[in-house]
Each structure stands twice: as structure tokens, then as C-alpha cells.
Amino acid sequence: MKKALITGITGQDGSYLAELLLSKGYRVYGMVRRSSTENFERIEHLRDRIELRQADLLDQLSIINLIQETRPEEIYNLAAQSFVPTSWEQPLLTAEFTALGVCRVLEAIRLVDRGIKFYQASSSEMFGKVRELPQNEKTPFHPRSPYGVSKVYGHFLTINYRESYNLFASSGILFNHESPRRGLEFITRKVSYGVARIKLGLDKEMRLGNLDAERDWGYAGDYVEAIWRMLQQEKADDYVIATGIKHSVRELVNLAFAHVGLDYKNFVVVDKAFLRPAEVDHLLGDATKARTQLGWKPKVSFEELIRMMVEADLEKVKRQIAKR
């Protein structure tokens, strides 16, 4: 039985990846931080099939000990401080988790077992102020947030350890990928949950920032398949994972409200408080390399994704109302 360790297993991507690995017969270990409050909602349905172990991306020794104890063949580093607005409020903490955390995991692999295959979760936010449309693996980076800068550090460090120590270390430059498990602070989930609350009479407005920002949005359940495929290759490499289709926030909002028979113009308020200090205007990925080398392509369309999220949040809000 092949063994895999997932950092960030309690997050959106971690939960979908754990499901995928279990379906393929893996023994799955999940790294979790010691916390006074546990948030295992996304993996609750998997708790009896995965093994959770305590360690921390801020603590080198705990990572070394965890790898020595579990001896995984594959490590998927999904843990990070991943909310872009928070990275301006807590830039140092973001750097510790999202940048130096990568270094600590790679160092642990170098010290314990260089045969372990490593996946680093890179991000389309690294492109930032984009130089070209669409963006591929060779597009220069120009990050526009402390989060994006931290991801660039982790990305290049992964390449450096691959070239310096001959580690099997791959990075997936994932463009925005969403699902009903997305955190409420992220724009897609903020919209789908807000629409549900407005439709069911709990709220009367939705406050948003830049409606003209464009993103390449896909389904997280599709993207973890690409992540797994990267570590099944003979040679480590870096891959852009995207749909190749961009949509504006305005399109997202319009589609979500239209799904419940409402006009977004009657409910959405543009609030300057939600504007970024430095905006990322146009992200659009070219996943040709992933398609040709990994045999991967997305299955769920943007329209299907948003309808899926709105329906899930309608059910969630109905359950909340029922408990009152």
C-alpha cells in the first residue's frame, strides 16, 4: 500500500486529494496543527479512513519527526496562509507559512529520505501583473501581494532543491479552483453563500470589491487529479493547471443570482473596503503542457461549478434556518 502525507488536509484541496488517494488504495496521513479549536468539517466523512498526525510548518523538527514516523512515498504540500487579503494584514506570518514552510518540508525530505516525491502547491497569483495572456510555465512572475511573493519563493525553492539535490519535486501552478468546500472568505464562496442568504430572506445586500477582475476558475475536484498525476511521472516538472477560459467577477455574480431567479444589480454594492492595494486584473492559464504530458483536462464547466456551489449553499442555509 502506497503511503502519502498531505499538509493542509483540512482545506478544500486537501479533502478532495485525500478522497482521490483513498480511491486509489493509498494509506493517507494528514498533517494538522495543534489548535484549541478543531476544524475538520471538510474531512469529517473521511476521519475513519485517514490518519491525522500533529506537526507544524513553523516547526522544522516536528516535520522531520512526522516524516520519519510515517515514511511516505509522496508528500503533497498544500498547507499555507492562502487568503490574499490577509497577506497584507499579516505579511510576516504569510511568509513563514507560505514561503519558509516549503523550505522546512524540503529540508526534512533532504535529511530523512531523498526518494520521497514532493508536490508544491504554487499559484496563479505568482503572475500578478501579467506580462502576457494566457500565462504558461514560462511566463515571468510579477506578484502583487505578500501571498504571491511567498508563493514565488516556494516555487523557485522547489526547483532549486530539484536541481541541487536531485529530489523529485514538482510544482502545480494552479489557477483559481473552487467548490462547495471553499472557505467563506473567498470570492466565489462569498457570492454563492451570499446569494443563498439573500434568496432565503436573511440578507438584503452583498458588498463586493472589483467586479471587473478576471479569473480562470475551475473545479477543485478536477484539479487534484492533475496534482496526483504530476507525482506519477518519471521526471519531476512544473505544470500550469487551468481551464483556459476567463470570467469576470461580474459574470460570476450574475450567474449565481440568475440561478435563483434574481438580478444581481438589485443586491450588489461595490465597497472600496474590498479593493486590493494592488489589483491582479487578468489571470488566464494555458494548460497545454498538462494536457499533453499528464493527459489531464478539466471536466466541470464554470457554469456547472457556480450552480453546484449555489445549490450546496442553499441547502446549507436551509439547515441553519431549521436549527433555529
Side-chain angles (χ1 to χ4, degrees), residues 147-167:
Y147 169 76
V149 173
S150 297
K151 280 294 186 182
V152 170
Y153 175 94
H155 180 79
F156 278 121
L157 196 72
T158 300
I159 294 172
N160 186 256
Y161 270 66
R162 182 168 73 218
E163 296 176 347
S164 302
Y165 302 114
N166 198 32
L167 298 187

Side-chain angles (χ1 to χ4, degrees), residues 56-64 67 77 93 95-111 118 153 157 161:
D56 198 316
L57 285 183
L58 304 186
D59 181 8
Q60 178 76 77
L61 186 57
S62 71
I63 300 171
I64 292 173
I67 294 174
N77 185 40
L93 184 68
E96 283 287 353
F97 278 115
T98 310
L100 294 180
V102 183
C103 187
R104 294 185 185 103
V105 178
L106 285 167
E107 266 297 280
I109 291 172
R110 184 181 71 84
L111 294 170
F118 173 77
Y153 175 94
L157 196 72
Y161 270 66

Side-chain angles (χ1 to χ4, degrees), residues 84-307:
V84 174
T86 298
S87 74
W88 276 290
E89 297 172 8
Q90 297 181 297
L92 294 178
L93 184 68
T94 299
E96 283 287 353
F97 278 115
T98 310
L100 294 180
V102 183
C103 187
R104 294 185 185 103
V105 178
L106 285 167
E107 266 297 280
I109 291 172
R110 184 181 71 84
L111 294 170
V112 177
D113 181 0
R114 297 190 186 188
I116 294 172
K117 292 185 173 183
F118 173 77
Y119 169 80
Q120 166 59 15
S122 291
S123 168
S124 60
E125 285 286 334
M126 300 189 304
F127 295 118
K129 190 174 183 178
V130 300
R131 313 284 182 89
E132 60 188 22
L133 282 172
Q135 296 95 47
N136 61 34
E137 293 81 4
K138 295 182 179 180
T139 301
F141 299 136
H142 188 149
R144 300 268 280 173
S145 68
Y147 169 76
V149 173
S150 297
K151 280 294 186 182
V152 170
Y153 175 94
H155 180 79
F156 278 121
L157 196 72
T158 300
I159 294 172
N160 186 256
Y161 270 66
R162 182 168 73 218
E163 296 176 347
S164 302
Y165 302 114
N166 198 32
L167 298 187
F168 190 109
S170 292
S171 288
I173 307 174
L174 272 58
F175 280 65
N176 295 66
H177 47 290
E178 319 297 323
S179 77
R181 300 179 193 174
R182 193 54 142 154
L184 286 168
E185 68 272 23
F186 291 88
I187 182 64
T188 47
R189 186 73 196 291
K190 181 178 180 179
V191 169
S192 65
Y193 187 69
V195 165
R197 288 183 59 86
I198 289 171
K199 178 64 177 177
L200 296 173
L202 299 182
D203 290 332
K204 294 183 179 179
E205 69 175 23
M206 182 187 299
R207 305 187 78 83
L208 299 172
N210 182 11
L211 298 183
D212 297 318
E214 294 178 322
R215 295 291 184 271
D216 183 330
W217 277 297
Y219 173 50
D222 288 342
Y223 283 36
V224 297
E225 173 78 26
I227 289 172
W228 173 77
R229 290 190 182 203
M230 288 179 211
L231 296 199
Q232 312 316 307
Q233 304 304 299
E234 290 187 11
K235 187 179 176 184
D237 208 342
D238 308 317
Y239 300 88
V240 162
I241 305 301
T243 69
I245 305 170
K246 61 183 171 71
H247 300 273
S248 67
V249 174
R250 193 181 307 276
E251 288 178 71
L252 158 67
V253 172
N254 183 41
L255 181 61
F257 274 96
H259 183 63
V260 296
L262 299 175
D263 185 343
Y264 80 93
K265 295 175 185 175
N266 296 326
F267 304 96
V268 171
V269 177
V270 174
D271 188 337
K272 291 183 179 180
F274 294 108
L275 297 177
R276 294 183 179 192
E279 182 59 81
V280 174
D281 296 307
H282 310 287
L283 290 179
L284 175 64
D286 176 3
T288 299
K289 184 177 177 181
R291 188 168 62 249
T292 56
Q293 295 187 19
L294 302 179
W296 176 86
K297 62 180 180 179
K299 299 171 185 173
V300 177
S301 71
F302 174 71
E303 291 76 15
E304 290 171 327
L305 171 63
I306 301 308
R307 287 194 289 265

